[in-house]
């Protein structure tokens, strides 16, 4: 449920409400808007009912039940769109789309430096690259692990970029958090609830990819796990879903951009690389995503896609990326008029 404080309420009123929530065995989550403070109350359903019946406290304007299972991520809880600030790079709200780009996997320092240069010159803000790779076959390249993380940080710093990289396993959360600015949860782990709780408590923003077969509501609930573990900065990432179609690797669901914005205050970015699996489709789908209102994109870029250890077919060359970024700027400028 949410407790809406009246505009005239005092700091002491708010303290009382917080104290009462804790006394009832519940947790609170504050959201201060320009006019009102809203207190989200989460925890056991029965305890919430009890609290609701006893919530006649000074300074409280009204209380409201949030009907959906996901609470903290919902627009009902927070009407205003959240802006996530990653060391000065702002994602969401009315900010221009943010671009994260780089190879599927970190392969070598040389490959990464070339990729980082192309990505920075194209105007992206983040370097992406997997150090821990969730491969379909155990015999495929699994990533460079710790060495890969160090290389990512070094290459990103050399070109003034932020790092986004996947954390695959609970045991590596703190290690990845040491090198990355944003922790990525991959599609295959979207419902790894224990991992979601761990990343939620790691003190870093989290980019949550949509599961291969996940509904929008399952995805929102996965984000709720992260937020309820203490992380306010969750970014959704639509990366295509499984359908009967096989021409594309996945079916990119751009309507999810609109759905997430209707249902949640959190930002959403789009991955046209995994969403299509085809280089020729990345630029058009990136433009479509921005037109649909996406807060950013994550795009695979490899200096030499023909020798990539992973996902070469969907990776843009530096020249493709440059063109894509030029076109995206035009689309973003047009979008700003609507
Ligand atoms: C990735 O972005 O590196 C990746 C593995 O993507 P996904 O989890 O969406 O398959
Ligand atoms: Mn990939």
């Amino acid at each position: 449920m949410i407790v809406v404080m009246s505009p005239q309420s005092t700091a002491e009123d708010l303290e009382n409400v917080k104290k009462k929530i804790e006394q009832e065995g519940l947790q609170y989550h504050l959201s201060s808007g320009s006019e009102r403070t809203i207190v989200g109350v989460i925890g056991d359903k029965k305890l919430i009912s009890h609290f609701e019946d006893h919530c006649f406290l000074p300074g409280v304007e009204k209380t409201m039940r949030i009907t959906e299972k996901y609470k903290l991520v919902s627009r009902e809880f927070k009407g205003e769109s959240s802006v996530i600030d990653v060391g000065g790079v702002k994602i969401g709200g009315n900010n221009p789309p943010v671009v994260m780009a780089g190879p599927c996997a970190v392969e070598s320092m040389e490959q990464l430096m070339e990729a980082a240069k192309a990505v920075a010159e194209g105007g992206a803000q983040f370097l992406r690259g997997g150090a821990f790779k969730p491969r379909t076959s155990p015999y495929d390249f699994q990533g460079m692990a710790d060495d890969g993380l160090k290389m990512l940080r070094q290459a990103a710093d050399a070109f003034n970029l932020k790092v986004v990289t996947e954390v695959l396993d609970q045991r590596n959360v703190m290690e990845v958090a040491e090198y990355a600015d944003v922790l990525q949860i991959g599609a295959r782990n979207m419902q790894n609830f224990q991992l979601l709780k761990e990343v939620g408590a790691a003190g870093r923003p989290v980019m949550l990819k949509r599961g291969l077969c996940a509904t929008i509501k399952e995805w929102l609930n996965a984000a709720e796990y992260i937020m309820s573990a203490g992380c306010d900065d969750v970014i959704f990432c639509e990366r295509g879903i499984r359908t009967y179609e096989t021409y594309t690797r996945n079916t990119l669901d751009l309507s999810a951009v609109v759905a997430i914005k209707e249902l949640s205050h959190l930002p959403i970015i789009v991955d046209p690389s995994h969403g299509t699996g085809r280089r020729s489709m990345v630029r058009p789908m990136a433009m479509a995503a921005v037109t649909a209102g996406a807060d950013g994109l994550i795009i695979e870029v490899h200096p030499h896609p023909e020798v990539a250890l992973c996902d070469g077919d969907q990776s843009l060359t530096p020249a493709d990326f440059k063109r894509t970024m030029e076109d995206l700027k035009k689309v973003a400028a047009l979008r700003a008029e609507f």
Side-chain angles (χ1 to χ4, degrees):
M1 69 180 279
I2 57 178
V3 177
V4 181
M5 301 301 292
S6 89
Q8 290 80 34
S9 63
T10 63
E12 197 188 340
D13 294 338
L14 182 63
E15 279 313 307
N16 276 335
V17 170
K18 285 168 24 183
K19 209 154 76 189
K20 178 85 178 146
I21 293 169
E22 284 180 336
Q23 278 168 1
E24 298 279 335
L26 296 162
Q27 294 104 45
Y28 61 81
H29 190 283
L30 295 186
S31 158
S32 310
S34 42
E35 279 205 1
R36 288 178 163 68
T37 297
I38 291 176
V39 189
V41 188
I42 48 175
D44 185 89
K45 266 193 226 152
K46 281 200 200 104
L47 296 178
I48 292 211
S49 286
H50 184 264
F51 173 69
E52 196 176 18
D53 296 341
H54 296 84
C55 190
F56 303 102
L57 297 167
V60 172
E61 186 174 283
K62 60 179 174 185
T63 62
M64 277 170 11
R65 273 297 179 107
I66 297 180
T67 42
E68 296 292 347
K69 275 206 163 68
Y70 49 89
K71 316 279 180 199
L72 301 173
V73 307
S74 74
R75 272 257 183 232
E76 271 177 285
F77 173 68
K78 185 171 178 236
E80 221 173 288
S81 293
S82 288
V83 174
I84 294 172
D85 189 330
V86 185
V89 178
K90 294 191 170 64
I91 309 174
N94 290 325
N95 290 292
V98 162
V99 177
M100 309 177 177
C104 180
V106 178
E107 298 170 10
S108 69
M109 197 62 210
E110 200 187 355
Q111 169 240 22
L112 204 57
M113 287 301 268
E114 256 188 274
K117 183 169 184 282
V119 160
E121 282 177 0
Q125 294 85 357
F126 278 79
L127 178 64
R128 65 144 289 149
F132 298 95
K133 293 306 302 174
R135 303 306 299 278
T136 302
S137 163
Y139 308 118
D140 287 340
F141 176 58
Q142 303 285 308
M144 295 190 72
D146 320 13
D147 288 344
L149 292 177
K150 290 180 191 137
M151 289 180 194
L152 264 175
R153 187 73 265 166
Q154 215 180 314
D157 287 347
F159 292 95
N160 198 23
L161 296 164
K162 308 286 175 208
V163 169
V164 57
T165 194
E166 178 163 356
V167 50
L168 206 54
D169 188 301
Q170 249 164 276
R171 291 165 294 188
N172 299 122
V173 172
M174 291 326 286
E175 189 191 359
V176 178
E178 196 184 322
Y179 295 99
D181 299 291
V182 172
L183 304 176
Q184 172 175 334
I185 294 293
R188 290 155 195 81
N189 268 324
M190 190 205 83
Q191 284 187 314
N192 182 341
F193 301 121
Q194 207 49 44
L195 179 62
L196 299 181
K197 287 186 204 170
E198 293 279 336
V199 293
R204 291 269 184 221
V206 177
M207 192 254 275
L208 176 66
K209 289 195 137 195
R210 183 176 182 180
L212 277 72
C213 294
T215 64
I216 302 265
K217 293 210 169 166
E218 285 163 345
W219 193 14
L220 290 159
N221 276 300
E224 186 77 14
Y225 264 95
I226 301 172
M227 281 198 82
S228 64
C231 173
D232 287 346
D233 299 333
V234 181
I235 305 154
F236 288 100
C237 176
E238 163 61 37
R239 48 77 72 207
I241 46 174
R242 269 282 158 85
T243 66
Y244 52 80
E245 185 53 70
T246 54
Y247 184 68
T248 45
R249 180 175 177 180
N250 291 291
T251 297
L252 187 64
D253 178 14
L254 288 183
S255 67
V257 172
V258 184
I260 289 292
K261 285 187 173 287
E262 284 172 1
L263 298 170
S264 175
H265 54 89
L266 295 167
I268 173 166
I269 68 165
V270 170
D271 176 348
S273 309
H274 294 90
T276 63
R278 288 173 173 263
R279 183 176 309 123
S280 65
M281 293 186 175
V282 172
R283 189 179 59 90
M285 288 300 101
M287 288 164 72
V290 168
T291 307
D295 298 300
L297 295 158
I298 182 161
I299 297 176
E300 286 187 342
V301 176
H302 195 292
H304 310 284
E306 65 288 354
V307 293
L309 294 181
C310 186
D311 289 351
D313 292 346
Q314 66 192 36
S315 299
L316 298 188
T317 62
D320 296 330
F321 182 65
K322 186 167 177 276
R323 176 168 178 214
T324 302
M325 290 298 279
E326 283 163 6
D327 288 348
L328 284 174
K329 272 189 208 111
K330 293 181 203 154
V331 174
L334 201 61
R335 180 179 89 175
E337 290 177 26
F338 289 90

Coordinates of all heavy atoms in Angstrom, one line a residue, residues 60-126:
V60 N -1.2 12.3 7.6 CA -1.5 11.4 6.5 C -2.7 11.8 5.8 O -3.8 12.1 6.4 CB -1.8 9.9 7.1 CG1 -2.3 9.0 6.0 CG2 -0.5 9.4 7.7
E61 N -2.6 12.1 4.5 CA -3.8 12.5 3.7 C -4.7 11.4 3.3 O -5.9 11.4 3.5 CB -3.3 13.2 2.4 CG -4.4 13.9 1.6 CD -3.8 14.7 0.5 OE1 -3.3 15.8 0.7 OE2 -3.9 14.2 -0.7
K62 N -4.1 10.3 2.8 CA -4.9 9.1 2.5 C -4.0 7.9 2.3 O -2.7 8.0 2.2 CB -5.7 9.3 1.2 CG -4.8 9.6 0.0 CD -5.7 9.8 -1.2 CE -4.8 10.2 -2.4 NZ -5.4 10.5 -3.6
T63 N -4.6 6.7 2.3 CA -3.8 5.5 2.1 C -4.5 4.8 0.9 O -5.7 5.0 0.6 CB -3.8 4.5 3.3 OG1 -5.2 4.1 3.5 CG2 -3.2 5.1 4.5
M64 N -3.6 4.1 0.1 CA -4.2 3.5 -1.1 C -3.6 2.1 -1.2 O -2.4 1.9 -1.0 CB -3.8 4.3 -2.3 CG -4.8 5.4 -2.6 SD -4.3 6.6 -3.8 CE -3.0 6.0 -4.7
R65 N -4.4 1.1 -1.6 CA -3.9 -0.2 -1.9 C -3.4 -0.2 -3.3 O -4.0 0.3 -4.2 CB -5.1 -1.2 -1.7 CG -5.3 -1.7 -0.4 CD -4.1 -2.5 0.1 NE -4.3 -3.0 1.5 CZ -4.5 -4.2 1.8 NH1 -4.5 -5.2 0.8 NH2 -4.7 -4.6 3.0
I66 N -2.2 -0.9 -3.5 CA -1.8 -1.1 -4.9 C -2.2 -2.5 -5.2 O -1.9 -3.5 -4.5 CB -0.2 -0.9 -5.0 CG1 0.1 0.5 -4.6 CG2 0.2 -1.3 -6.4 CD1 1.6 0.8 -4.7
T67 N -3.0 -2.5 -6.3 CA -3.7 -3.8 -6.6 C -2.8 -4.9 -7.1 O -2.9 -6.0 -6.9 CB -4.9 -3.5 -7.6 OG1 -4.4 -2.6 -8.6 CG2 -6.1 -2.9 -6.9
E68 N -1.8 -4.4 -7.9 CA -0.9 -5.4 -8.5 C 0.1 -5.9 -7.5 O 0.4 -5.3 -6.5 CB -0.1 -4.8 -9.7 CG -0.9 -4.3 -10.8 CD -1.5 -5.4 -11.6 OE1 -1.1 -6.6 -11.4 OE2 -2.5 -5.2 -12.4
K69 N 0.7 -7.1 -7.8 CA 1.7 -7.7 -6.9 C 3.0 -6.9 -6.9 O 3.6 -6.8 -5.9 CB 2.0 -9.1 -7.4 CG 1.1 -10.2 -7.0 CD 1.8 -11.5 -6.9 CE 1.1 -12.6 -6.1 NZ -0.1 -13.0 -6.7
Y70 N 3.3 -6.3 -8.0 CA 4.5 -5.4 -8.0 C 4.1 -4.0 -7.5 O 3.0 -3.5 -7.9 CB 5.1 -5.3 -9.4 CG 4.2 -5.0 -10.5 CD1 3.9 -3.7 -10.8 CD2 3.5 -6.0 -11.2 CE1 3.0 -3.4 -11.8 CE2 2.6 -5.7 -12.2 CZ 2.3 -4.4 -12.5 OH 1.4 -4.1 -13.4
K71 N 4.8 -3.5 -6.6 CA 4.4 -2.3 -5.9 C 5.4 -1.1 -6.2 O 5.0 -0.1 -6.8 CB 4.4 -2.4 -4.4 CG 3.8 -3.7 -3.9 CD 2.3 -3.7 -3.9 CE 1.7 -5.0 -3.4 NZ 0.3 -5.2 -3.8
L72 N 6.6 -1.3 -5.8 CA 7.6 -0.3 -5.9 C 7.9 0.1 -7.3 O 8.3 1.3 -7.6 CB 9.0 -0.7 -5.2 CG 8.9 -1.1 -3.7 CD1 10.2 -1.7 -3.2 CD2 8.5 0.1 -2.9
V73 N 7.8 -0.8 -8.2 CA 8.1 -0.5 -9.6 C 6.9 0.2 -10.3 O 7.1 0.6 -11.4 CB 8.5 -1.8 -10.4 CG1 9.6 -2.5 -9.8 CG2 7.3 -2.7 -10.7
S74 N 5.7 0.2 -9.7 CA 4.5 0.6 -10.4 C 4.3 2.1 -10.5 O 4.8 2.8 -9.7 CB 3.3 -0.1 -9.8 OG 3.0 0.6 -8.6
R75 N 3.6 2.5 -11.6 CA 3.3 3.9 -11.8 C 2.3 4.3 -10.7 O 2.2 5.5 -10.3 CB 2.6 4.1 -13.1 CG 3.5 4.4 -14.2 CD 3.6 5.9 -14.6 NE 4.4 5.9 -15.8 CZ 5.5 6.7 -15.9 NH1 5.7 7.6 -15.0 NH2 6.2 6.7 -16.9
E76 N 1.5 3.4 -10.2 CA 0.6 3.7 -9.1 C 1.4 4.2 -7.9 O 0.9 5.2 -7.2 CB -0.2 2.5 -8.6 CG -1.4 2.2 -9.4 CD -2.0 0.9 -8.8 OE1 -1.5 -0.2 -9.2 OE2 -3.0 0.9 -8.1
F77 N 2.5 3.6 -7.7 CA 3.3 4.0 -6.5 C 4.0 5.3 -6.8 O 4.1 6.2 -5.9 CB 4.4 2.9 -6.3 CG 5.4 3.3 -5.2 CD1 5.0 3.4 -3.9 CD2 6.7 3.5 -5.6 CE1 6.0 3.8 -2.9 CE2 7.7 3.9 -4.6 CZ 7.3 4.0 -3.3
K78 N 4.5 5.5 -8.0 CA 5.2 6.8 -8.3 C 4.8 7.2 -9.7 O 5.1 6.6 -10.7 CB 6.7 6.5 -8.2 CG 7.6 7.7 -8.4 CD 9.1 7.4 -8.2 CE 9.9 8.7 -8.4 NZ 10.9 8.4 -9.4
G79 N 4.1 8.3 -9.7 CA 3.6 8.8 -11.0 C 4.6 9.4 -11.9 O 4.6 9.3 -13.2
E80 N 5.6 10.0 -11.3 CA 6.7 10.7 -12.1 C 7.7 9.7 -12.6 O 8.1 8.8 -11.9 CB 7.4 11.6 -11.1 CG 7.8 13.0 -11.6 CD 8.3 13.7 -10.4 OE1 7.5 14.1 -9.5 OE2 9.6 13.9 -10.3
S81 N 8.1 9.8 -13.9 CA 9.1 8.9 -14.4 C 10.5 9.0 -13.6 O 10.9 10.1 -13.4 CB 9.4 9.2 -15.9 OG 8.2 8.9 -16.6
S82 N 11.1 7.9 -13.3 CA 12.4 8.0 -12.6 C 13.5 8.2 -13.6 O 13.5 7.7 -14.7 CB 12.6 6.6 -11.9 OG 11.8 6.5 -10.8
V83 N 14.4 9.0 -13.1 CA 15.6 9.3 -13.9 C 16.8 8.6 -13.1 O 17.0 8.9 -11.9 CB 15.9 10.8 -14.1 CG1 17.2 11.0 -14.8 CG2 14.7 11.4 -14.9
I84 N 17.5 7.8 -13.8 CA 18.6 7.1 -13.1 C 19.9 7.8 -13.6 O 20.2 7.9 -14.7 CB 18.6 5.6 -13.5 CG1 17.3 5.1 -12.8 CG2 19.8 4.9 -13.0 CD1 17.0 3.7 -13.2
D85 N 20.7 8.2 -12.5 CA 21.9 9.0 -12.8 C 23.1 8.0 -12.6 O 23.4 7.6 -11.5 CB 21.9 10.2 -11.8 CG 23.0 11.1 -12.1 OD1 24.1 10.7 -12.7 OD2 22.8 12.3 -11.9
V86 N 23.8 7.7 -13.7 CA 24.9 6.8 -13.5 C 26.2 7.7 -13.7 O 26.6 8.0 -14.8 CB 24.9 5.7 -14.6 CG1 26.1 4.8 -14.4 CG2 23.6 5.0 -14.6
G87 N 26.7 8.2 -12.6 CA 27.8 9.1 -12.7 C 27.7 10.3 -13.6 O 28.6 10.6 -14.4
G88 N 26.5 10.9 -13.7 CA 26.3 12.0 -14.5 C 25.6 11.7 -15.8 O 25.0 12.6 -16.5
V89 N 25.5 10.4 -16.2 CA 24.7 10.0 -17.4 C 23.3 9.7 -16.9 O 23.1 8.8 -16.1 CB 25.4 8.8 -18.1 CG1 24.5 8.4 -19.3 CG2 26.8 9.0 -18.5
K90 N 22.4 10.5 -17.5 CA 21.0 10.3 -17.0 C 20.1 9.5 -17.9 O 20.1 9.7 -19.1 CB 20.4 11.7 -16.8 CG 21.0 12.5 -15.7 CD 20.3 13.8 -15.4 CE 20.8 14.5 -14.2 NZ 22.1 15.0 -14.3
I91 N 19.5 8.5 -17.3 CA 18.7 7.6 -18.1 C 17.2 7.7 -17.7 O 16.9 7.5 -16.5 CB 19.1 6.1 -18.0 CG1 20.6 6.0 -18.2 CG2 18.4 5.2 -18.9 CD1 21.2 4.6 -17.9
G92 N 16.3 8.0 -18.7 CA 14.9 8.1 -18.3 C 14.4 9.5 -18.3 O 15.1 10.5 -18.5
G93 N 13.1 9.6 -18.0 CA 12.4 10.9 -18.0 C 12.5 11.6 -19.4 O 12.3 10.9 -20.4
N94 N 12.8 12.9 -19.4 CA 12.9 13.5 -20.8 C 14.3 13.6 -21.3 O 14.5 14.3 -22.2 CB 12.3 15.0 -20.6 CG 10.8 14.9 -20.4 OD1 10.1 14.1 -20.9 ND2 10.3 15.8 -19.5
N95 N 15.2 12.8 -20.8 CA 16.5 12.8 -21.3 C 16.7 12.2 -22.6 O 15.9 11.2 -22.9 CB 17.5 12.1 -20.2 CG 17.6 13.0 -19.0 OD1 18.2 14.1 -19.0 ND2 17.0 12.5 -17.9
P96 N 17.6 12.6 -23.4 CA 17.8 12.0 -24.7 C 18.2 10.5 -24.5 O 18.8 10.2 -23.5 CB 18.9 12.8 -25.4 CG 19.4 13.8 -24.4 CD 18.5 13.8 -23.2
P97 N 18.0 9.6 -25.5 CA 18.3 8.2 -25.3 C 19.8 8.0 -25.1 O 20.6 8.6 -25.7 CB 17.9 7.6 -26.7 CG 17.5 8.7 -27.6 CD 17.3 9.9 -26.8
V98 N 20.1 7.1 -24.2 CA 21.4 6.8 -23.8 C 21.8 5.5 -24.6 O 21.0 4.7 -24.9 CB 21.5 6.5 -22.3 CG1 22.7 5.7 -21.9 CG2 21.4 7.8 -21.5
V99 N 23.1 5.5 -25.1 CA 23.5 4.3 -25.9 C 24.6 3.6 -25.2 O 25.6 4.2 -24.8 CB 23.9 4.7 -27.3 CG1 24.4 3.5 -28.1 CG2 22.7 5.4 -28.0
M100 N 24.4 2.3 -25.0 CA 25.4 1.4 -24.5 C 25.9 0.5 -25.7 O 25.0 -0.1 -26.4 CB 24.8 0.5 -23.4 CG 24.1 1.3 -22.4 SD 23.3 0.2 -21.1 CE 22.6 1.4 -20.1
A101 N 27.2 0.4 -25.9 CA 27.6 -0.4 -27.1 C 28.9 -1.0 -26.8 O 29.7 -0.6 -26.0 CB 27.6 0.5 -28.3
G102 N 29.2 -2.1 -27.6 CA 30.5 -2.8 -27.4 C 30.3 -4.2 -27.9 O 29.2 -4.6 -28.2
P103 N 31.3 -5.0 -27.7 CA 31.2 -6.4 -28.2 C 30.3 -7.3 -27.3 O 30.1 -6.9 -26.1 CB 32.7 -6.9 -28.1 CG 33.3 -6.0 -27.1 CD 32.6 -4.7 -27.2
C104 N 29.9 -8.4 -27.9 CA 29.1 -9.3 -27.0 C 30.0 -9.8 -25.9 O 29.6 -9.7 -24.7 CB 28.7 -10.5 -27.9 SG 27.8 -11.7 -27.0
A105 N 31.2 -10.2 -26.2 CA 32.1 -10.7 -25.2 C 33.5 -10.0 -25.2 O 33.9 -9.6 -26.3 CB 32.4 -12.2 -25.4
V106 N 34.0 -9.8 -24.0 CA 35.4 -9.3 -24.0 C 36.3 -10.4 -24.5 O 36.3 -11.5 -23.9 CB 35.8 -8.9 -22.5 CG1 37.3 -8.5 -22.5 CG2 34.9 -7.9 -22.0
E107 N 37.1 -10.2 -25.5 CA 38.0 -11.2 -26.1 C 39.5 -11.0 -25.8 O 40.3 -11.9 -25.7 CB 37.7 -11.4 -27.6 CG 36.3 -11.8 -27.9 CD 35.9 -11.6 -29.4 OE1 36.9 -11.5 -30.2 OE2 34.8 -11.8 -29.7
S108 N 39.8 -9.7 -25.9 CA 41.2 -9.3 -25.7 C 41.3 -7.8 -25.4 O 40.3 -7.1 -25.8 CB 42.1 -9.7 -26.9 OG 41.8 -8.8 -27.9
M109 N 42.4 -7.3 -24.9 CA 42.5 -5.9 -24.6 C 42.5 -5.1 -26.0 O 41.9 -4.1 -26.1 CB 43.8 -5.6 -23.9 CG 43.9 -4.3 -23.2 SD 42.6 -4.1 -22.0 CE 42.3 -2.4 -22.0
E110 N 43.1 -5.7 -27.0 CA 43.2 -5.1 -28.3 C 41.8 -4.9 -28.9 O 41.4 -3.8 -29.3 CB 44.1 -6.0 -29.2 CG 44.6 -5.2 -30.4 CD 45.3 -6.2 -31.3 OE1 45.5 -7.4 -30.9 OE2 45.7 -5.8 -32.4
Q111 N 41.0 -6.0 -28.8 CA 39.7 -6.0 -29.4 C 38.8 -4.9 -28.6 O 38.1 -4.1 -29.2 CB 39.0 -7.4 -29.2 CG 37.5 -7.4 -29.5 CD 36.7 -7.9 -28.3 OE1 37.2 -7.8 -27.1 NE2 35.5 -8.4 -28.5
L112 N 39.0 -4.9 -27.3 CA 38.2 -4.0 -26.5 C 38.5 -2.6 -26.7 O 37.6 -1.7 -26.8 CB 38.3 -4.4 -25.0 CG 37.2 -4.1 -24.1 CD1 35.9 -4.6 -24.6 CD2 37.5 -4.5 -22.7
M113 N 39.8 -2.3 -26.8 CA 40.2 -0.9 -27.0 C 39.7 -0.4 -28.4 O 39.2 0.7 -28.5 CB 41.8 -0.8 -27.0 CG 42.3 -0.9 -25.6 SD 41.7 0.3 -24.4 CE 42.9 1.6 -24.6
E114 N 39.8 -1.2 -29.4 CA 39.3 -0.8 -30.7 C 37.8 -0.6 -30.6 O 37.3 0.4 -31.2 CB 39.5 -2.0 -31.7 CG 40.7 -1.7 -32.7 CD 40.8 -2.8 -33.8 OE1 41.4 -3.8 -33.5 OE2 40.2 -2.5 -34.8
A115 N 37.1 -1.5 -29.9 CA 35.6 -1.3 -29.8 C 35.3 -0.1 -29.0 O 34.4 0.7 -29.4 CB 35.0 -2.6 -29.1
A116 N 36.0 0.2 -27.9 CA 35.7 1.3 -27.1 C 35.9 2.6 -27.8 O 35.2 3.6 -27.7 CB 36.6 1.3 -25.8
K117 N 37.0 2.6 -28.7 CA 37.2 3.8 -29.5 C 36.1 4.1 -30.4 O 35.6 5.2 -30.5 CB 38.5 3.6 -30.2 CG 39.0 4.8 -31.1 CD 40.4 4.5 -31.6 CE 41.0 5.7 -32.3 NZ 40.5 5.8 -33.7
A118 N 35.6 3.1 -31.1 CA 34.5 3.2 -32.0 C 33.2 3.7 -31.3 O 32.5 4.5 -31.8 CB 34.3 1.9 -32.8
V119 N 33.0 3.1 -30.2 CA 31.8 3.3 -29.4 C 31.8 4.8 -28.9 O 30.8 5.5 -29.0 CB 31.7 2.3 -28.3 CG1 30.9 2.8 -27.1 CG2 31.3 1.0 -28.8
A120 N 33.0 5.2 -28.4 CA 33.1 6.6 -27.9 C 33.0 7.6 -29.1 O 32.3 8.6 -29.0 CB 34.4 6.8 -27.2
E121 N 33.6 7.3 -30.2 CA 33.6 8.2 -31.3 C 32.2 8.4 -31.9 O 31.8 9.4 -32.4 CB 34.6 7.8 -32.4 CG 36.0 8.2 -32.0 CD 37.1 7.7 -33.0 OE1 36.7 7.0 -34.0 OE2 38.3 7.9 -32.7
G122 N 31.5 7.3 -31.8 CA 30.1 7.3 -32.3 C 29.2 8.1 -31.4 O 28.1 8.5 -31.8
G123 N 29.6 8.3 -30.1 CA 28.8 9.1 -29.2 C 28.0 8.3 -28.2 O 27.1 8.8 -27.5
A124 N 28.4 7.0 -28.0 CA 27.7 6.3 -26.9 C 28.3 6.7 -25.6 O 29.4 7.3 -25.5 CB 28.0 4.8 -27.1
Q125 N 27.5 6.4 -24.5 CA 28.0 6.8 -23.1 C 28.5 5.6 -22.4 O 29.2 5.7 -21.4 CB 26.8 7.4 -22.4 CG 26.3 8.7 -22.9 CD 25.3 8.5 -24.0 OE1 25.0 7.4 -24.5 NE2 24.7 9.6 -24.5
F126 N 28.1 4.4 -22.8 CA 28.5 3.2 -22.1 C 29.3 2.2 -23.0 O 28.9 2.0 -24.2 CB 27.3 2.4 -21.6 CG 26.6 2.9 -20.4 CD1 25.8 4.0 -20.4 CD2 26.8 2.2 -19.1 CE1 25.2 4.5 -19.2 CE2 26.2 2.7 -18.0 CZ 25.4 3.8 -18.0

